[in-house]
């Protein structure tokens, strides 16, 4: 159970009167400048899609900070800070419209934070082992009932002893229990296509267990999750689109269907150079 209550979120609102200046990051991003209220699916998946640099991570992080998560990722049972640099400041101008229920679990999955998260998990396990050894030495009492973090998070192996993709999938499969609110920033990074399919099934288990997911992604596999709401971030702000309208889907499909032609076009400058 969580140490404090986290609401499911019906919508995220920009309190425009709290914005110091729309000409400075993060408020200058088109996705933020035009933001009024963004509705989120309470019992399903909301995706943030769109080109690099359009503000998906910035907005997801503001949502995470508002919910009380560590901006680097983690949960309220695993907080750590290794980088002094704070979050973008957007969270202070954002308010959340709470949904009906309270989440029993929550996690912010961030690829860049995975290494630090793994280190923190190992550190906490080593600390507990040292305490247990000390207690046994002094009193002969064997401390039982402690479930190592590496079991809870990594399936029994240090996340550092797993490949990046294995560690990510282990974390998602073992730590996320359902009935919670889960934010994920490009969780497909380092996952093979097969493991992205496995991630889809993890997402489905979570949704069926009454979870709210908000996922920033470029993966045409993840975006295919049925019934999801997809927001495309772009130069004109944020708009809701269908799966087949996303760049992730269109560019991938076009490339696979017309591979030879795509490659010829991409490399046409090289061909000119050679003449
Ligand atoms: N600390 C920062 N200061 C100024 N600009 C930033 C900062 N962090 C990110 N940006 C800029 O904001 C834009 C959006 O970043 P981000 O939210 O990470 O995009 P996305 O996740 O959609 O790829 C990027 O173009 C980036 O250069
Ligand atoms: Mg990003």
């Amino acid at each position: 159970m969580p140490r404090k209550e986290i609401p499911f979120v019906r919508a995220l609102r920009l309190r425009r009167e709290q914005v110091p200046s729309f000409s400075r990051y993060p408020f200058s991003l088109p996705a933020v400048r035009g933001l009024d209220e963004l509705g989120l699916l309470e019992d399903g998946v909301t995706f943030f899609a769109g080109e690099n640099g359009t503000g998906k991570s910035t907005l997801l992080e503001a949502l995470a900070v508002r919910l009380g998560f560590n901006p680097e990722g983690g949960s309220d049972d695993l907080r750590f800070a290794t980088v002094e640099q704070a979050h973008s400041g957007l969270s202070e101008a954002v308010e959340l419209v709470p949904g009906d229920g309270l989440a029993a679990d929550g996690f912010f999955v961030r690829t860049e934070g995975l290494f630090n998260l793994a280190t923190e998990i190992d550190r906490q396990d080593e600390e507990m082992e040292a305490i247990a050894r000390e207690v046994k030495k002094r009193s002969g009492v064997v401390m039982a009932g402690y479930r190592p973090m590496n079991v809870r998070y990594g399936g029994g192996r240090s996340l550092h002893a797993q490949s990046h993709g294995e560690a990510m999938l282990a974390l998602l499969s073992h730590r996320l229990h359902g009935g919670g609110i889960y934010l994920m920033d490009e969780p497909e990074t380092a996952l093979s296509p097969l493991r992205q399919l496995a991630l889809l099934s993890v997402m489905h288990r979570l949704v069926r267990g009454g979870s709210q997911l908000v996922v920033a992604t470029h993966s045409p596999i993840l975006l295919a999750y049925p019934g999801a709401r997809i927001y495309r971030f772009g130069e004109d702000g944020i708009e809701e689109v269908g799966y087949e309208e996303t760049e992730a889907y269109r560019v991938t499909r076009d490339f696979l269907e017309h591979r030879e032609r795509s490659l010829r076009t991409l490399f046409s400058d090289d061909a000119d150079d050679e003449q």
Side-chain angles (χ1 to χ4, degrees):
M1 289 301 285
R3 310 238 165 98
K4 66 179 171 357
E5 295 175 334
I6 318 173
F8 288 111
V9 183
R10 195 193 307 275
L12 181 152
R13 243 184 231 147
L14 181 67
R15 297 165 67 203
R16 302 185 71 87
E17 72 285 358
Q18 294 290 322
V19 172
S21 159
F22 278 104
S23 55
R24 273 207 326 265
Y25 172 85
F27 307 103
S28 54
L29 293 169
V32 179
R33 225 185 306 137
L35 184 62
D36 179 26
E37 184 171 311
L38 198 68
L40 304 175
L41 286 189
E42 268 182 76
D43 51 356
V45 185
T46 305
F47 285 116
F48 291 175
E51 260 317 307
N52 289 127
T54 49
K56 303 179 298 295
S57 296
T58 303
L59 199 61
L60 196 64
E61 182 190 277
L63 173 60
V65 171
R66 269 274 150 243
L67 286 167
F69 297 129
N70 193 325
E72 272 200 71
S75 179
D76 63 343
D77 63 356
L78 187 71
R79 292 185 66 88
F80 59 95
T82 45
V83 184
E84 269 305 308
Q85 167 254 339
H87 46 88
S88 73
L90 178 59
S91 62
E92 280 122 58
V94 155
E95 72 179 352
L96 305 183
V97 183
D100 292 330
L102 288 173
D105 184 28
F107 208 89
F108 179 25
V109 180
R110 203 160 202 191
T111 309
E112 308 95 80
L114 187 63
F115 183 88
N116 294 334
L117 192 122
T119 304
E120 177 61 17
I121 288 170
D122 282 354
R123 191 192 66 74
Q124 290 193 18
D125 275 351
E126 278 159 24
E127 202 174 271
M128 277 309 289
E129 278 164 28
I131 292 170
R133 270 197 308 273
E134 191 62 23
V135 167
K136 185 161 179 252
K137 200 169 88 188
R138 282 169 190 257
S139 64
V141 172
V142 177
M143 276 174 70
Y146 174 68
R147 217 166 144 240
M149 300 279 277
N150 270 314
V151 173
R152 288 169 51 206
Y153 282 74
R157 273 167 74 202
S158 166
L159 293 176
H160 278 310
Q162 307 185 34
S163 83
H164 188 173
E166 287 171 334
M168 180 56 93
L169 199 61
L171 172 71
L172 297 170
S173 315
H174 296 288
R175 169 56 187 80
L176 312 189
H177 308 304
I181 177 161
Y182 304 108
L183 313 181
M184 305 181 183
D185 196 355
E186 296 187 30
E188 73 273 16
T189 312
L191 292 186
S192 71
L194 205 57
R195 285 209 156 91
Q196 292 183 42
L197 296 176
L199 176 51
L200 263 185
S201 102
V202 170
M203 287 167 58
H204 193 50
R205 169 176 65 78
L206 294 173
V207 169
R208 292 219 322 218
S211 304
Q212 176 172 38
L213 273 65
V214 185
V215 184
T217 185
H218 296 292
S219 164
I221 294 178
L222 296 190
L223 284 168
Y225 191 84
R229 180 177 290 177
I230 304 178
Y231 287 119
R232 177 169 60 204
F233 286 48
E235 283 308 306
D236 300 322
I238 303 176
E239 61 174 336
E240 190 175 343
V241 296
Y243 172 60
E244 297 183 1
E245 293 175 273
T246 60
E247 280 85 359
Y249 170 82
R250 292 165 82 131
V251 174
T252 309
R253 193 190 66 170
D254 188 67
F255 181 77
L256 294 176
E257 280 181 0
H258 309 286
R259 181 160 48 99
E260 295 298 335
R261 196 187 66 198
S262 300
L263 291 172
R264 267 201 309 277
T265 311
L266 281 170
F267 302 158
S268 59
D269 283 353
D270 292 352
D272 291 347
D273 289 349
E274 282 161 20
Q275 281 168 8

